[in-house]
Amino acid sequence: MSGSVSPVTTTPTGADPVRGTAHGKVILFGEHAVVYGVPALAVGIDRGAWAQVDAGADADAKSVLHVRGWDVTVREDAGDEGPPLARAFRDVLAATRREQRAAGRAPVGTVHVEAEADLPPGGGLGCSAALGVAVARALDPAASAESIAARVNAWERVFHGNPSGIDAAVASLGGCVLFTRGEGEAPATIERVRVSETLHLCIGHSGQASSTKSMVESVARIRERRPEITQKTFDAIHTLVKNARLAIVDHDLRAIGQLLDLNQMLLSGLFLSTPEIEQMCATARTAGALGAKLTGAGGGGCVVALVPDAARGADVLAAWKAEGFDGFAATVKAEVQDVREILQKLHERVLAAGSP
Ligand code: PMV
């Protein structure tokens, strides 16, 4: 895994190809509890996917998508029995054209899409959503981040059945989001949480495959057997998500780190951790991480550690490597402050300075 993406989409000039990029996702707080209505905090990292669109088609005049690295090529006219990637491509093209027509714009024609994801598939880092967002964005650079996320839900449904939508939202919006699953048919609520200074993370793979479906089912079984205790765990996670949100806004790294450790303890109590995950968390803390936990489904998969800076991140990665675990450094970029917010703060300062 190498390289990184920036959340930029270039607009075509003449026959230039159009490029779209997307973020990978890391759940910092609230996985599993989010299934039962607790909000989760997730961040978009500077590693994800890119896609490039050229006018063109295959010999049958059909749009095609080629995913580098996987070396897979699919066509938009694959039927319902076709491979999942082909159906996902067909659905996102259809959603794009529908929305373009509804907005009175010319729908995208027949295209050749070249794409690549720089995330481990099945690692809980939102690989499929990042690829979908990069493709959707390259197909329609003028669309808003929210609209792209909605279109990619169609793509995600092909891979994940009934996705919560968190992966597509984070892949498209980047930054930090507070995500609450909608009850019944209600849509999910996605709220941006401002990241005031860049966050440095290390993400490592435990080397064990993990299945989101079976881990979610295992928590459901525990909940059935011990409803009160499980509810207490979810309530505790809810409280720490609220505190984590404040800590992120304040850039209080020490507090974020402690909350990551607490969340890990609560997830271990639901039997979602493994000896490898525990080892990776302990190693990261010894090497200078401020906190560490599993991210996503658990039972294997990835660990996330918060570090104060890139140098400490290199120490954590070296310590993991010495124990046979692969990992990479990732950042969550600080968001540019809203101009009105800056003016308001300046105004408050001037008033404060003028007051006796
Ligand atoms: O490992 P991932 O990225 O599929 O994350 C799973 C997150 C869960 O909360 C365990 C499930 C869910 O649907 O939110």
Side-chain angles (χ1 to χ4, degrees), residues 152-202:
V152 173
N153 277 331
W155 165 292
E156 281 285 271
R157 266 192 291 278
V158 173
F159 294 104
H160 301 299
N162 186 21
S164 59
I166 189 167
D167 287 19
V170 176
S172 181
L173 293 162
C176 179
V177 301
L178 185 76
F179 178 93
T180 315
R181 196 186 173 141
E183 251 182 70
E185 293 296 296
T189 340
I190 293 162
E191 203 186 310
R192 268 183 177 285
V193 175
R194 205 166 66 79
V195 177
S196 47
E197 282 177 54
T198 298
L199 294 173
H200 294 271
L201 305 174
C202 288

Side-chain angles (χ1 to χ4, degrees), residues 25 27 30-32 34-35 124-126 164 167 181 212 216 295-297:
K25 159 227 73 172
I27 299 181
E31 53 272 268
H32 285 286
V34 72
V35 174
L125 302 180
S164 59
D167 287 19
R181 196 186 173 141
T212 301
V216 168
T295 178

Side-chain angles (χ1 to χ4, degrees), residues 23-26 48-49 119-120 122-132 156 160 167-168 171:
H23 304 269
K25 159 227 73 172
V26 174
L119 297 164
L125 302 180
C127 180
S128 67
L131 202 61
E156 281 285 271
H160 301 299
D167 287 19

